[in-house]
Amino acid sequence: MGKETDKKAEALDLRSFGQSYAVNYQFNASGPKVVRSYRLTTLLERYVDILWEPGSHKSNVRAFINELDEILLGQQFEAFTDEMVDRLIGDLRKRGNSNATINRKMAALSKLLRKAFKMGDIHSLPEFRRQKEKAGRIRFLEYDEEDRLFAAIRAKDELYCALCIFLVDTGARLGEGIGLRWNDLHENRATFWITKSGKSRTVPLTPRAIEAIEAQAGAVEGPFASVDQQRFRWIWNAAKAEVGLGTDDDVVPHVLRHTCASRLVRGGIDIRRVQMWLGHQTLQMTMRYAHLASHDLDVCLPILLRRP
């Protein structure tokens, strides 16, 4: 009877030991790995240089993850739960973030957590559901607006005006234009290697885009490599205020890419070619400009006309 009691007591002791010193494991190709608690900023520093290339997008990701870590009050976790995701989305919405902005921040978080899970740092992943985004209004520059804005920018800096001309005629993102190197230019075409989608693309250049590039012949690395983004945005904002566009929040440098896309669509270029020109990953992204191709519907009119 005494031996049986001792065995039961020993079993109870082992159970209590397991409860006090529970360890979670993540199994991957290299075998089991002990899962410790991390906060978002710790995982970010571990993987940010692996997951994101240098540039403005990487800087945005840092800001996104730091904000999410702040909302969680620096909480450490072994598994990121659905409840934590809901908490983040709810708080971001209270802060006035649109669904589109929330989606961008959640996309950065999802990418980081997937990497951490793959490496065995956390043992489960939450479900990320894309928030429904409103179509929204796409702002683009009319020709007279472009003329006035570019003239004001030229008066402040010839190089920055040349960059604007290049961006509006190629549809390139600001970072793509600045990242352009002389070896990326061949037979009046520009190849963008470092893109948001991760896929390179090549577009032909208009005569004035070629002139804008040739005017920078003395530059060492590339035609616009010396452009400072912060100063560029300062000059942009000062110039748009001078020409009466200062209160239009949509007139940011990215409006040049919208303007290029809009002109292609309004000029009769089919959506698939516009997608290739812009380097969009999906046709859905390009379809935002489809409504501008209203002239394509003119062929429907004769069908609807009633005959006398």
Side-chain angles (χ1 to χ4, degrees):
M1 194 70 181
K3 290 183 178 179
E4 186 176 346
T5 303
D6 291 342
K7 287 182 180 179
K8 288 182 179 179
E10 183 180 353
L12 288 171
D13 287 341
L14 289 174
R15 282 197 295 271
S16 64
F17 178 86
Q19 290 169 357
S20 301
Y21 298 93
V23 177
N24 289 307
Y25 290 91
Q26 164 71 293
F27 291 85
N28 52 32
S30 60
K33 176 181 177 181
V34 175
V35 176
R36 298 181 175 85
S37 294
Y38 296 95
R39 59 185 291 181
L40 283 178
T41 51
T42 305
L43 294 176
L44 178 67
E45 292 309 314
R46 179 171 292 187
Y47 298 119
V48 66
D49 293 328
I50 299 173
L51 297 175
W52 291 280
E53 295 182 353
S56 59
H57 181 58
K58 183 177 179 179
S59 299
N60 288 338
V61 167
R62 280 189 178 278
F64 293 163
I65 299 301
N66 283 326
E67 180 183 11
L68 299 180
D69 183 73
E70 174 202 330
I71 293 173
L72 294 175
L73 303 176
Q75 176 182 344
Q76 294 187 334
F77 53 88
E78 297 170 353
F80 207 94
T81 65
D82 290 336
E83 289 76 16
M84 293 168 74
V85 172
D86 291 342
R87 176 181 168 187
L88 290 174
I89 292 175
D91 204 281
L92 289 172
R93 194 160 283 140
K94 288 178 182 177
R95 295 185 177 197
N97 287 229
S98 67
N99 281 356
T101 301
I102 291 174
N103 284 335
R104 287 197 297 273
K105 293 178 179 179
M106 290 297 106
L109 175 62
S110 175
K111 187 173 182 177
L112 178 62
L113 292 180
R114 288 199 311 271
K115 179 64 175 179
F117 178 75
K118 184 177 180 180
M119 299 305 293
D121 295 322
I122 58 177
H123 60 72
S124 66
L125 289 173
E127 179 182 6
F128 286 93
R129 293 183 178 180
R130 187 173 179 80
Q131 305 299 304
K132 188 175 181 180
E133 298 181 17
K134 296 180 180 178
R137 172 175 173 263
I138 294 178
R139 179 68 160 95
F140 54 88
L141 299 178
E142 298 293 352
Y143 287 108
D144 67 308
E145 291 178 318
E146 177 191 313
D147 291 342
R148 290 185 287 115
L149 180 60
F150 285 12
I153 293 175
R154 179 180 287 109
K156 300 178 184 301
D157 195 301
E158 287 279 355
L159 170 61
Y160 289 7
C161 180
L163 174 60
C164 288
I165 291 172
F166 177 82
L167 295 179
V168 79
D169 278 9
T170 61
R173 300 177 180 90
L174 178 58
E176 294 171 347
I178 295 175
L180 191 72
R181 297 297 178 258
W182 290 115
N183 287 339
D184 302 335
L185 298 162
H186 185 64
E187 295 182 350
N188 295 336
R189 295 174 184 271
T191 298
F192 304 107
W193 295 100
I194 302 177
T195 66
K196 188 176 180 180
S197 66
K199 298 180 180 178
S200 62
R201 71 182 187 281
T202 300
V203 299
L205 299 173
T206 63
R208 72 169 183 165
I210 294 172
E211 290 178 9
I213 288 172
E214 290 177 343
Q216 317 311 319
V220 179
E221 295 183 45
F224 309 111
S226 64
V227 169
D228 178 84
Q229 288 200 37
Q230 186 174 356
R231 183 168 183 270
F232 175 80
R233 293 180 188 279
W234 182 87
I235 287 179
W236 173 279
N237 289 331
K240 84 169 192 176
E242 289 178 10
V243 298
L245 297 172
T247 59
D248 194 331
D249 294 336
D250 293 324
V251 180
V252 294
H254 198 71
V255 78
L256 301 178
R257 180 169 165 86
H258 288 319
T259 300
C260 178
S262 301
R263 288 175 182 174
L264 289 173
V265 173
R266 293 165 89 187
I269 304 301
D270 65 87
I271 290 294
R272 183 68 69 177
R273 281 189 173 87
V274 177
Q275 178 192 6
M276 294 173 61
W277 184 286
L278 297 176
H280 283 158
Q281 286 184 297
T282 65
L283 188 61
Q284 182 181 3
M285 297 176 69
T286 319
M287 287 300 293
R288 294 178 300 169
Y289 305 99
H291 68 282
L292 298 172
S294 57
H295 55 275
D296 286 352
L297 301 179
D298 292 346
V299 296
C300 303
L301 195 57
I303 308 301
L304 299 175
L305 295 177
R306 294 183 61 180
R307 302 188 181 280

